[in-house]
Amino acid sequence: MSKQASIEKVPGVTCKVGESPLWSAREGAWYWVDILGRRVWRLDAASGEQRIWFTAEMPACLALTGSGALLAGMESGVFELTLDFEVHAHASLLAALPDLKKGMRFNDGRCDRQGRFWSGTLDLDQPELRAAGSLYRYTREQGFSAPVVSNLVVQNGLGFSPDGRTMYLSDSHVSRQMIWAFDYDTDSGTPHNQRVFVDMNAHQGRPDGAAVDVDGCYWICGNDGGCLLRFTPEGKLDRTIDLPLLKPSMCSFGGPDMDTLLVTSIAAGRKPEDTESGALLLVRPGVQGMPETRFCD
């Protein structure tokens, strides 16, 4: 079902590859990254003030830490970012991934409901069908896990149900376009019983970044389809929101009432009415989302 939603463009923002929107309730502010632009952005929700920090490596995904810093999956590993009055972010390497080969980087990522950080890798040579990517878990105590899920081309769509007992994962590559669900052991942080949740070949767009709402429904960006899709916990499509851009890349709930989706996008490809390529959108779909869990320091 297609329904209307309030959609607002954030002025002054254009990203090459916008990703990983993240709401900080403590600050009343949004964060996101421009991967190819090697930038971290911040938007104060009340004043509209924007800040930009440059990074030495491509930042792909963000998580908040308990101490208020940012955790970032980048090209060579996981870093803690300190953002101050300088134009460049200070990046402290927490852990390098030993088997991260040249030409690869981290991609989509977030924390589970217990505060463990999850992210996957991809080969930057995406036109080649090389399923070299894997999904990893990271904690300060144990470092990186061994690959938990392997044989991924373009890892994406990480999400966790409200009770944390279901994990979602997608592969965006045109040869895959699949979303899986896993039973998730919240004590050990181990997914199992992988199964097809949604075959996106039957729907609009490729599955990119995702968010979960308070009803346990899974919102996925339909990249190349110019839309947001909402699936019930049973994998049934129950809502489509058309967007004024072709390539939405990730969405995340936030705002004072947790009723706003911040949607990033990629500045490539257009549909006739697409005037917002690479823009940042605030979408109010009429439902509330789940807050992101902070990384356990």
Side-chain angles (χ1 to χ4, degrees):
M1 179 184 295
S2 180
K3 294 184 180 180
Q4 294 296 317
S6 167
I7 301 175
E8 173 188 351
K9 177 187 174 183
V10 178
V13 178
T14 302
C15 293
K16 295 178 181 178
V17 180
E19 268 287 359
S20 197
L22 181 65
W23 170 251
S24 172
R26 292 182 190 175
E27 303 173 54
W30 294 97
Y31 289 93
W32 68 97
V33 303
D34 181 351
I35 298 177
L36 294 185
R38 298 188 180 186
R39 300 179 182 184
V40 176
W41 290 71
R42 182 185 186 273
L43 171 67
D44 185 280
S47 69
E49 179 186 5
Q50 298 174 16
R51 289 285 311 276
I52 298 173
W53 293 266
F54 293 91
T55 56
E57 293 187 3
M58 288 186 284
C61 54
L62 299 174
L64 294 163
T65 71
S67 62
L70 288 177
L71 198 74
M74 300 176 76
E75 291 179 63
S76 59
V78 172
F79 292 76
E80 185 171 276
L81 299 182
T82 302
L83 308 178
D84 52 27
F85 295 104
E86 302 293 330
V87 69
H88 294 281
H90 178 72
S92 300
L93 179 64
L94 299 180
L97 192 62
D99 59 350
L100 193 59
K101 298 178 175 60
K102 185 178 180 180
M104 298 188 70
R105 64 163 169 80
F106 279 95
N107 199 44
D108 181 72
R110 62 168 22 106
C111 290
D112 65 12
R113 302 296 178 201
Q114 292 70 44
R116 308 176 188 94
F117 182 68
W118 285 83
S119 185
T121 55
L122 60 76
D123 188 340
L124 292 174
D125 191 10
Q126 291 184 19
E128 294 294 327
L129 177 54
R130 204 165 75 86
S134 297
L135 181 69
Y136 298 87
R137 180 182 62 245
Y138 171 76
T139 65
R140 286 192 189 272
E141 296 79 13
Q142 299 176 342
F144 280 114
S145 66
V148 178
V149 181
S150 298
N151 193 38
L152 299 170
V153 185
V154 183
Q155 173 271 335
N156 249 313
L158 268 175
F160 295 88
S161 61
D163 65 3
R165 297 186 179 280
T166 302
M167 184 183 86
Y168 300 100
L169 176 70
S170 75
D171 194 320
S172 298
H173 196 271
V174 292
S175 66
R176 297 284 179 85
Q177 302 192 79
M178 197 69 66
I179 307 172
W180 300 282
F182 302 74
D183 294 332
Y184 190 76
D185 187 320
T186 58
D187 292 329
S188 65
T190 305
H192 56 95
N193 187 27
Q194 180 178 359
R195 57 201 180 273
V196 173
F197 177 62
V198 176
D199 182 347
M200 282 288 289
N201 290 282
H203 297 283
Q204 187 176 341
R206 297 180 295 109
D208 210 315
V212 175
D213 65 28
V214 293
D215 298 320
C217 292
Y218 178 84
W219 293 78
I220 188 81
C221 287
N223 198 322
D224 288 333
C227 63
L228 296 174
L229 303 164
R230 182 188 194 237
F231 291 95
T232 68
E234 294 73 39
K236 178 183 177 182
L237 177 66
D238 79 339
R239 188 169 180 188
T240 300
I241 298 176
D242 292 324
L243 301 174
L245 45 80
L246 183 67
K247 297 178 77 68
S249 52
M250 189 173 178
C251 56
S252 182
F253 279 99
D257 298 318
M258 291 299 297
D259 62 352
T260 301
L261 279 166
L262 190 71
V263 182
T264 54
S265 68
I266 299 171
R270 291 179 180 272
K271 55 185 181 181
E273 66 274 28
D274 182 0
T275 61
E276 313 295 353
S277 180
L280 187 74
L281 303 178
L282 293 168
V283 179
R284 295 175 179 86
V287 300
Q288 290 181 306
M290 296 295 299
E292 295 293 333
T293 305
R294 290 177 177 263
F295 177 69
C296 285
D297 294 308

